[in-house]
Amino acid sequence: MPLAADVTSNLLRSLKIVQSLGEAVPHGGILKAVAGIGIILLETAERVRQNREECVDIARRAAEHISMLNRLGEDDDLSEDLIERLERYHKVLEEVLKKVERLGADSSWKRTLRQSSVQDETKECLSSLNEAYQMNECANVEAGFPSISGSR
């Protein structure tokens, strides 16, 4: 089922806040790039014709993770370590975007023949997103940085 318009709107707004934050903080280009790919994921999921529910679920999960980055303050300087982890997260997002585009472009007959494959790819995308996000969270705690998903 497609995301409700208000949910999509709120997620897009959160991602745009992260993009703006990327413009405000030193070395924030990676924040801007991560938020930008999140926006593309949401927009792509909303317009796909095939496997829409799966694509929307993947895009929603990515957008929720990315929107947590707005907890970084404008005064926060991004450490080299955080920048490197965000760059790795960006690469994961790029791979997920490619899979969402592929899932959304599959024709009906292919989808029928490989429904289990669609489910497997969806699970793989969600798992990749969760792993990448959790790796960032663990590294934040180990390095003594505030958790992105926790309160500051």
Side-chain angles (χ1 to χ4, degrees):
M1 116 176 42
L3 287 176
D6 58 334
V7 173
T8 301
S9 176
N10 287 338
L11 287 171
L12 283 171
R13 193 173 307 118
S14 292
L15 295 176
K16 288 180 181 180
I17 289 170
V18 174
Q19 262 189 329
S20 296
L21 182 61
E23 294 173 3
V25 298
H27 312 292
I30 189 63
L31 285 176
K32 201 171 164 184
V34 167
I37 202 163
I39 290 168
I40 292 169
L41 257 169
L42 275 176
E43 291 171 347
T44 300
E46 284 297 315
R47 71 172 180 263
V48 298
R49 297 190 194 298
Q50 304 298 326
N51 305 310
R52 186 180 179 109
E53 187 175 328
E54 292 85 354
C55 292
V56 167
D57 190 34
I58 293 166
R60 180 192 52 81
R61 180 81 52 89
E64 288 171 351
H65 288 173
I66 296 166
S67 67
M68 292 296 174
L69 292 170
N70 71 14
R71 294 184 186 220
L72 295 171
E74 286 186 23
D75 297 332
D76 291 341
D77 192 17
L78 301 180
S79 68
E80 270 188 50
D81 179 58
L82 180 57
I83 290 169
E84 287 174 14
R85 286 184 281 121
L86 288 172
E87 286 171 349
R88 285 192 302 268
Y89 188 59
H90 185 263
K91 287 179 184 174
V92 169
L93 289 170
E94 286 176 330
E95 290 302 314
V96 167
L97 176 60
K98 288 177 190 174
K99 287 182 182 182
V100 166
E101 289 171 338
R102 190 173 58 246
L103 283 171
D106 282 350
S107 66
S108 329
W109 68 270
K110 276 187 182 177
R111 184 175 48 141
T112 303
L113 292 175
R114 45 181 224 114
Q115 186 62 33
S116 64
S117 178
V118 169
Q119 291 172 349
D120 290 345
E121 281 205 51
T122 301
K123 286 179 186 175
E124 185 181 322
C125 284
L126 293 171
S127 177
S128 294
L129 288 171
N130 286 336
E131 273 182 40
Y133 183 74
Q134 288 173 358
M135 293 287 284
N136 275 333
E137 283 298 285
C138 289
N140 280 344
V141 171
E142 288 173 6
F145 299 127
S147 171
I148 291 172
S149 63
S151 58
R152 293 187 54 120

